[in-house]
Structure formats: C-alpha cells, structure tokens
Amino acid sequence: MSQNFINFADNECKGSSRLYEQLSLHIAKTPCLLNLCRNISRNQPVPNLFFAAVHYLLLKGYDDRLSEMYHEKDIDFNSLFDAFEEFCLEHQQALIQVMNQKRVQTNEVRRTAYLYPLFSMISQKNDAPISLIEIGTSAGLNLCADQYRYVYEGVEGTFGNSTSELEIHSKIIGEMTHDLNHIPDIRDRIGIDLNVMDLNTDDDYLWLKALIWPEHHQRREMLKAAKEIVTAENVELIEGDAVSILDSTVQNINTENTLCIFHTHVANQMSEDQKEELLKAVDLIADGRTVYHIYNNIFDKKLRMDEYTGGRKNSYLIGETDGHGRWFEWKIQQFI
C-alpha cells in the first residue's frame, strides 16, 4: 500500500500536481491513513480513489479550512499534512462510504487529442461513416471527439470543429503523418460502463469534478465546456459489463459503418482473465466486418490499435500518452 503512493507520487504527480505528490509521500509513511485506504477494492487505483473521495467531501463543504489550504499559492505542507490527517480521521466513515460506492471514472476529455487523429485516419482510409463504442465511458465525453477544436504545439492551424466552444491543446511527440483536417463522420456514439455517469445529475457531475486534481483549473473548465457539448449530442450510454454485452450492442450497428471499439485507462481496472475475454470478444465481432480496437493498459501502458479488415489483423503501436492528454507520442508512420 505504501509503495502504491510512492509510485503515484513519482510516476503520476511529479511535474503535474505538487499537492498530490507531497500528500502521497506523506500518506506512504502514515499507518493510520494507509489502513484507511485498505477499505478500497483491489481492482481500483488506490491513490486516485482516495484523493477523489477526500476532494469530493471538500467540494460538498465538509471542511472549508482544508479546502482553502488545497488552493493556497504557497502551501505550508507541514500544516497541510496535519490538517489532512485530522480531516481523514474525523470523517473516516464518510470516506469509507464514498470509497465503497464510487469508482475511478476520470473522464479526461483532453484524451481526445490523440483519439481524434486516429478516428480521422480510420475514417479517411475506409471512406465510410464511423460507429464508436467506448468501454468504460464514464459520462461519454470522448465519444464527441469530432465536436471539439484542437491545437497541437508545433503544428500550424486548428483542427476538428472550428466553431466548437471547447479548444483542446496538446503536444505531439514525433511526426504527425496524417492529414488532421479530415473530420471523421461519426454516426453512432455508444458508451458502456458498469456505472454510467449522468452529466445532468448533480452528484455524478460533482464526482467527476472531484476526480480532477485540485491544481488543474483548466481541466475543470474543459469538463464544464464538454458537458454542454455532450448533452446536446445523440450519445447513448449503456450500463453493464462491456464484455458481456459488447456483441449484442454491435448487432444494432449498420454493418457498412466502420466500427471503432476503444478504451483508455480502463483495462488497468480489469483482471487478466477479463482482458483476455475482451480481446476474444473483439476477435469474434471482427469476423466478417471492419473493426478497429484502440486501447492501452492491456499489455502495457502504451496506446495501441488493432485493425481487422479483409480477414486480416494488423497491430499498430501509437506510443506513450500522458494520462491527462497533455502530450502523446505518434509512432504510427504507415497505415496501409
């Protein structure tokens, strides 16, 4: 448990959130807080869920003092550690209840910065409309990748929907070989999740905000803008186990459309057996139709894409991606 927080501090927080980095290192050597975290289900990323649970209670107004300390420009970390520990022990039962009821469902809309080029590339190659199915969709923000406007560092111009209220900035590491001006024609937007998040439900929206790290003000603004766009689109969200209902969901999709099944930062919450079942399910669905499977966290953290077309399967490495979509590698050079 202690190592989980050390790894989180070093691998996830450094350079992104000094608040969570320092709190993680403090928790790693604080037995009472580590014991509290043992109430979290094994299939959930512990630091993410624990910090989100605390943030959720703060957003609900449980402790204005600690909430203010979270947003101070020059944080006195010794005072913060004391206040944080005191808060967790005082509200232990409330935290346990939240950690038992909620899941890590970070709906990071900036991940569309690397999904958009893939959907665009697939659409252009197959010259057909795209039907999207997202596994672990949360509130479905990534299903509207074509409705956002994109700016890529070092690439001239803007891409996607030029009139969109949401502008997403990201950095491409490597040479972008695809024409980003091609906007994919997305006909179906279907999301599957064990617990679908409703953007129009106050508590669900509050939980999505709680999952955003306190210093990340821009992410909160992007969530707010994305909410307005997604609620205006024809997005279908289905609650259930994706592996079990994937085949029946696909049956209702026009076979002439190119099917894209995708998920980002979801498979890390699956067991090895569940991952294997998912890959088999995609293989079966691809028998007789064109399918693309875009994913990470199955074999490693890298973003990958499997292409099923003409009875053949081709696998492509896209590259490393930042968890919040601030940057991504683009290693795919040939898409035959």
Side-chain angles (χ1 to χ4, degrees):
M1 186 65 71
S2 177
Q3 193 61 46
N4 277 344
F5 281 95
I6 293 172
N7 292 342
F8 186 69
D10 292 341
N11 301 328
E12 305 294 336
C13 301
K14 190 167 290 184
S16 181
S17 172
R18 180 158 170 75
L19 174 70
Y20 278 0
E21 178 187 2
Q22 292 302 310
L23 281 174
S24 293
L25 295 174
H26 174 70
I27 294 166
K29 56 185 181 183
T30 307
C32 63
L33 296 179
L34 293 174
N35 286 334
L36 182 55
C37 291
R38 290 189 171 89
N39 289 281
I40 296 174
S41 173
R42 289 184 178 181
N43 66 346
Q44 289 293 294
V46 174
N48 304 70
L49 185 54
F50 182 55
F51 283 131
V54 173
H55 196 193
Y56 174 76
L57 294 186
L58 293 178
L59 291 174
K60 289 176 76 73
Y62 271 59
D63 190 322
D64 290 339
R65 175 172 167 263
L66 181 60
S67 183
E68 289 173 3
M69 294 177 76
Y70 262 41
H71 296 97
E72 288 176 355
K73 186 175 181 180
D74 297 311
I75 299 174
D76 177 350
F77 281 104
N78 288 326
S79 297
L80 176 68
F81 296 154
D82 291 340
F84 182 85
E85 188 172 336
E86 181 181 332
F87 175 85
C88 291
L89 295 179
E90 181 181 350
H91 300 289
Q92 185 169 248
Q93 291 307 312
L95 284 171
I96 291 172
Q97 184 176 10
V98 173
M99 293 186 296
N100 286 336
Q101 291 178 346
K102 304 290 189 182
R103 300 172 59 85
V104 175
Q105 294 179 276
T106 306
N107 212 171
E108 181 52 65
V109 68
R110 194 158 46 190
R111 291 174 189 160
T112 58
Y114 54 76
L115 291 171
Y116 171 80
L118 290 171
F119 296 154
S120 174
M121 186 173 65
I122 291 165
S123 173
Q124 190 169 24
K125 175 178 179 178
N126 293 277
D127 193 26
I130 286 180
S131 293
L132 298 179
I133 297 180
E134 182 181 20
I135 296 171
T137 192
S138 187
L141 305 188
N142 293 331
L143 290 165
C144 295
D146 60 323
Q147 296 302 308
Y148 310 136
R149 184 170 68 252
Y150 301 92
V151 175
Y152 296 102
E153 184 179 326
V155 181
E156 186 176 349
T158 61
F159 308 95
N161 184 345
S162 61
T163 64
S164 179
E165 292 296 319
L166 175 54
E167 182 171 280
I168 293 175
H169 290 249
S170 189
K171 179 180 180 181
I172 303 171
I173 299 175
E175 183 183 359
M176 173 54 67
T177 53
H178 172 67
D179 178 12
L180 293 170
N181 289 298
H182 180 84
I183 301 176
D185 178 11
I186 299 176
R187 297 291 176 87
D188 299 291
R189 309 173 193 271
I190 303 170
I192 305 173
D193 204 300
L194 290 170
N195 180 37
V196 165
M197 304 298 286
D198 184 351
L199 289 168
N200 293 313
T201 300
D202 290 344
D203 191 66
D204 282 359
Y205 187 56
L206 188 68
W207 179 243
L208 288 174
K209 288 199 291 185
L211 286 161
I212 296 174
W213 300 1
E215 300 110 315
H216 294 182
H217 308 297
Q218 186 182 45
R219 291 176 63 201
R220 278 189 290 278
E221 291 302 313
M222 287 193 294
L223 173 63
K224 182 179 178 181
K227 175 185 176 182
E228 300 303 316
I229 294 169
V230 174
T231 52
E233 287 294 317
N234 185 24
V235 176
E236 180 182 1
L237 302 181
I238 303 171
E239 197 156 272
D241 176 64
V243 176
S244 301
I245 65 175
L246 193 57
D247 183 62
S248 60
T249 303
V250 169
Q251 299 305 316
N252 299 319
I253 294 176
N254 189 330
T255 55
E256 294 183 3
N257 293 358
T258 301
L259 178 61
C260 290
I261 300 169
F262 72 100
H263 48 93
T264 58
H265 301 276
V266 170
N268 59 312
Q269 299 184 36
M270 296 180 180
S271 67
E272 293 304 315
D273 287 343
Q274 288 173 322
K275 293 177 185 179
E276 187 175 342
E277 288 175 17
L278 173 59
L279 292 174
K280 287 180 179 178
V282 175
D283 284 346
L284 289 173
I285 289 169
D287 186 16
R289 71 176 299 161
T290 299
V291 175
Y292 291 84
H293 182 201
I294 301 165
Y295 57 91
N296 59 11
N297 293 123
I298 287 188
F299 306 113
D300 51 34
K301 290 185 177 182
K302 295 178 182 178
L303 188 68
R304 299 177 179 274
M305 179 175 70
D306 295 334
E307 174 191 43
Y308 300 81
T309 182
R312 296 178 56 192
K313 176 182 177 181
N314 297 308
S315 295
Y316 302 91
L317 170 65
I318 312 303
E320 300 277 1
T321 62
D322 172 63
H324 300 139
R326 295 173 301 172
W327 57 264
F328 61 94
E329 287 185 316
W330 190 262
K331 290 182 175 290
I332 181 171
Q333 298 300 315
Q334 288 188 321
F335 191 52
I336 302 171

